[in-house]
Structure formats: C-alpha cells, structure tokens
Amino acid sequence: MKLTDEVAGKIAGIARDLLYERFGDDFVFDPIWVEQKVDHDDDDYLELNIVFDGDQKKLDPGWTVGIGRRMEPALLAIGVEEIPDHAFYEKNEWLEGPPD
C-alpha cells in the first residue's frame, strides 16, 4: 500500500480519537503522524508516532501497547489492512529534536 497524505491523516485521526477517548483531558497528544518505512528485509510498514504531554505514570502501557489492534476496525473501514507499529514520545523529548 502506498501511503498518501490523506490516508496518513485519517490514520492519525483514528489514533487521536482513541487516545482522547481513553485518556481524556489528562494528556495532550500532538503531533501525531504516520510514516511509511522499510524494515531490514526491505518490507514496507507503517509507523504511528505520538507525542504526548502529561504524567507518563498515567499513560497505561497495558492499553497503549495494543493501540494498533484497537485501531483495526476503523482502519479496515478506510481500506487500510496493515496495523501500524507505534512509538510514543514525551513532549520534552520531542522538543529536543524529532526522532529519525
């Protein structure tokens, strides 16, 4: 699948909606973006990047680890069959410089 800006925006929106539904006003999630990357076997994959501002102790890893699977029904509804990998970055870490 070739990732377009439109589809990337929709994927980021799905993630944003789920995050705010789960964590409400305890966090700010911004920016959220999706990239198409290539792994060591030259296979394409999607990576969902999420910058958050809030008390990391309240960011439930038991929930966040499954965000890709939680997104699956909405992804399928927009024609995306691939579950993205994901990475969370604290805002202060992000301000020091975006990840590669």
Side-chain angles (χ1 to χ4, degrees), residues 7 39 47 55 74 80 97 100:
V7 172
D39 68 15
E47 182 169 282
D55 183 355
V80 176
D100 293 333

Side-chain angles (χ1 to χ4, degrees), residues 26-45:
D26 288 338
F27 290 89
V28 173
F29 298 99
D30 185 59
I32 299 175
W33 73 99
V34 180
E35 298 175 288
Q36 191 161 31
K37 293 193 168 187
V38 178
D39 68 15
H40 61 279
D41 292 325
D42 290 328
D43 294 323
D44 290 337
Y45 70 97

Side-chain angles (χ1 to χ4, degrees), residues 8-82:
K10 288 179 180 180
I11 294 170
I14 291 166
R16 180 175 281 108
D17 290 347
L18 284 172
L19 288 161
Y20 280 110
E21 180 181 300
R22 169 61 179 86
F23 296 105
D25 294 333
D26 288 338
F27 290 89
V28 173
F29 298 99
D30 185 59
I32 299 175
W33 73 99
V34 180
E35 298 175 288
Q36 191 161 31
K37 293 193 168 187
V38 178
D39 68 15
H40 61 279
D41 292 325
D42 290 328
D43 294 323
D44 290 337
Y45 70 97
L46 299 178
E47 182 169 282
L48 173 66
N49 298 282
I50 302 163
V51 175
F52 69 92
D53 188 17
D55 183 355
Q56 187 171 5
K57 293 176 187 169
K58 293 181 179 180
L59 193 63
D60 177 8
W63 189 92
T64 58
V65 73
I67 191 168
R69 289 284 172 213
R70 294 174 198 287
M71 294 172 61
E72 188 173 21
L75 292 172
L76 290 173
I78 63 167
V80 176
E81 296 181 7
E82 184 177 346

